[in-house]
Amino acid sequence: MDKEPTTATKQRMLDAGLTLLLEQGYHGVGVQAVLDAAQAPKGSFYHHFNDKEDFALQVVDAYMTGVHAALDASLSDSSRAPLDRIRGFFELVSQGYEHDGYLGCLLGGLGQELSGASDVFATKIDWCLGYIAGRLAEPLGEARARGDLTVAEDPAVLAQRLVECWEGAALHSRLLRDPSPLPAMLDFYFRAITRVPDDG
Amino acid sequence: MDKEPTTATKQRMLDAGLTLLLEQGYHGVGVQAVLDAAQAPKGSFYHHFNDKEDFALQVVDAYMTGVHAALDASLSDSSRAPLDRIRGFFELVSQGYEHDGYLGCLLGGLGQELSGASDVFATKIDWCLGYIAGRLAEPLGEARARGDLTVAEDPAVLAQRLVECWEGAALHSRLLRDPSPLPAMLDFYFRAITRVPDDG
DNA sequence: TGACGCCTAGACCGTATGGTCTAGACCACT
DNA sequence: AGTGGTCTAGACCATACGGTCTAGGCGTCA
């Protein structure tokens, strides 16, 4: 972590960028809008960031900082069963969505918008989602070792599916501006990999 | 179907729009780019469309025309089991994705990009995805009636989950420019609602 | 106190954008 | 032949965009 200290102005711009990019997307947000929201002049923007793309990438980094924190907070709690830890992670994430008015996931949003035209973003977002899946694979492996799972698939693969499912539910949540698809999808996913389905 | 006949020029613009919007998104595509791709002058664009938003909405309609065709073609084949018909639908959709270079789903793309700032688009895309889910609910209901399902949930709810799962896989496919998440997700989903998982 | 580096400040620039406007080609109908 | 509607054609406009540039405030260290 040999990062420079990140001045207050830069942090304000990143914070504003997080909100604005989530709501309006990359091309929907002008540099000026970030400046206005962060109460900063243009000079500061181009002092701290090479260009708009660099800015957005750093916003993604800032977003991932929060994700890391949520992952660490949830997955390390060894008093809970592995699958419960995963659930805890997504509950934290959901709380973040609530705070933003249920606009879904920044990674999904920017990924959809930019990955068709920008390899840089496609690679970055894919890496981020893959990282999350990688972290979730560990408790999934634990769960399998404990015999909690009723499916035999590689935990890494199961984790990929989980993240994909979540992103799909997050899109629906964004369209509805409503959280309901999120826990519904989690329930569906966990039932799929654990309990034998019951047709009662 | 009391639609006006849609001139060749208008159709060229819609076709170009489909490709361009899928690749670059709404804000990433200028009207001029559509004009160039369709070899049409600006006058034609604003003759056939009120504005850029109207154009994009009509591109979505054109996209849905293809979806309807795929739904009709797949779901009506009563010689196949209901779940096989659903699989057939997504196989057709996948072929469309292949044709476009695995850029995912236009509905997911525009939904993510625009639904934060435009209620019109949010509502429209949600309606489209809901319509697809509605169509898929029928064969799911049939499957349940036949005893093919091992879950008791409402077919409409299961169909919602399916569409969400698919959109999540389509995003991953787009990021990777690779189809592999699509059949993987379908396998996961169908296993979840049918066969008892096997830990062999 | 002078010099240097970091950061703020905002005027300014070239370009591309969405959208308008007028002119005219083409076709059907009378 | 004349007329009206549909569609093509592209010059044109105001604005907003991403990005550059110079100037100045401010703290630090010699």
Side-chain angles (χ1 to χ4, degrees):
Chain A
M1 308 297 174
D2 49 353
K3 282 278 196 64
E4 64 272 21
T6 302
T7 67
T9 304
K10 180 175 184 180
Q11 193 59 53
R12 275 203 320 279
M13 292 192 281
L14 289 174
D15 290 344
L18 224 135
T19 302
L20 289 170
L21 289 178
L22 183 61
E23 184 179 327
Q24 330 218 35
Y26 181 81
H27 288 114
V29 173
V31 172
Q32 192 57 54
V34 177
L35 267 27
D36 293 346
Q39 303 238 70
K42 211 156 208 181
S44 295
F45 187 92
Y46 286 95
H47 172 74
H48 291 292
F49 309 106
N50 297 332
D51 51 22
K52 195 188 172 187
E53 172 173 324
D54 179 41
F55 170 68
L57 290 169
Q58 290 200 42
V59 169
V60 171
D61 286 335
Y63 183 84
M64 285 303 287
T65 301
V67 171
H68 283 117
L71 282 166
D72 292 341
S74 322
L75 302 190
S76 65
D77 181 355
S78 56
S79 74
R80 305 174 74 177
L83 296 186
D84 283 343
R85 281 176 244 155
I86 293 180
R87 221 177 240 284
F89 166 66
F90 284 109
E91 270 156 19
L92 282 185
V93 173
S94 297
Q95 283 169 28
Y97 291 1
E98 180 183 17
H99 173 270
D100 297 324
Y102 296 114
L103 289 166
C105 172
L106 183 71
L107 301 176
L110 293 182
Q112 284 280 21
E113 181 183 357
L114 300 172
S115 62
S118 158
D119 281 346
V120 178
F121 273 98
T123 307
K124 171 121 195 164
I125 303 288
D126 182 52
W127 185 90
C128 291
L129 293 175
Y131 173 83
I132 296 171
R135 291 289 300 270
L136 298 177
E138 198 204 307
L140 281 170
E142 258 188 78
R144 189 170 74 162
R146 286 165 40 118
D148 289 349
L149 302 193
T150 48
V151 291
E153 271 152 313
D154 180 4
V157 170
L158 286 179
Q160 286 273 32
R161 293 290 88 74
L162 173 54
V163 170
E164 291 165 8
C165 285
W166 180 260
E167 286 299 326
L171 167 61
H172 196 186
S173 158
R174 177 180 170 96
L175 292 173
L176 297 174
R177 291 278 171 79
D178 184 283
S180 56
L182 302 168
M185 179 59 86
L186 278 189
D187 290 344
F188 177 83
Y189 178 85
F190 281 121
R191 186 147 4 113
I193 66 169
T194 56
R195 205 172 313 128
V196 173
D198 188 345
D199 59 327
Chain B
M1 305 292 182
D2 50 351
K3 281 281 196 60
E4 63 273 22
T6 302
T7 67
T9 304
K10 181 175 184 182
Q11 193 58 53
R12 276 204 318 281
M13 291 192 282
L14 289 173
D15 290 345
L18 224 136
T19 303
L20 289 170
L21 289 178
L22 184 61
E23 184 179 326
Q24 328 217 37
Y26 181 82
H27 288 114
V29 173
V31 172
Q32 192 58 52
V34 176
L35 267 25
D36 293 347
Q39 302 238 68
K42 210 157 209 181
S44 296
F45 187 92
Y46 285 96
H47 172 74
H48 291 292
F49 309 105
N50 296 333
D51 52 21
K52 193 188 173 188
E53 172 174 322
D54 178 43
F55 170 69
L57 290 170
Q58 291 201 39
V59 169
V60 171
D61 287 334
Y63 183 84
M64 285 303 286
T65 300
V67 171
H68 282 118
L71 282 167
D72 293 340
S74 321
L75 302 191
S76 65
D77 181 358
S78 56
S79 74
R80 305 174 73 177
L83 295 187
D84 282 344
R85 283 176 243 157
I86 293 180
R87 220 178 242 283
F89 167 67
F90 284 110
E91 269 156 19
L92 282 184
V93 173
S94 296
Q95 283 168 28
Y97 291 2
E98 180 184 17
H99 173 269
D100 298 323
Y102 296 113
L103 289 166
C105 171
L106 182 70
L107 300 176
L110 293 182
Q112 283 281 19
E113 179 183 357
L114 299 173
S115 62
S118 160
D119 281 345
V120 178
F121 273 98
T123 306
K124 171 122 193 162
I125 303 288
D126 182 52
W127 184 90
C128 292
L129 293 175
Y131 172 83
I132 297 171
R135 291 289 301 268
L136 298 177
E138 198 204 306
L140 281 170
E142 259 188 76
R144 190 171 72 164
R146 285 165 40 117
D148 288 350
L149 302 192
T150 49
V151 291
E153 270 150 314
D154 179 6
V157 171
L158 285 179
Q160 285 274 33
R161 293 290 88 73
L162 173 52
V163 170
E164 291 165 9
C165 285
W166 180 260
E167 285 299 326
L171 166 62
H172 196 186
S173 160
R174 178 180 169 96
L175 292 173
L176 297 174
R177 291 280 170 79
D178 184 281
S180 56
L182 302 169
M185 179 59 85
L186 277 190
D187 289 344
F188 177 83
Y189 178 83
F190 282 121
R191 185 145 7 110
I193 66 169
T194 57
R195 206 172 313 127
V196 172
D198 188 344
D199 59 326

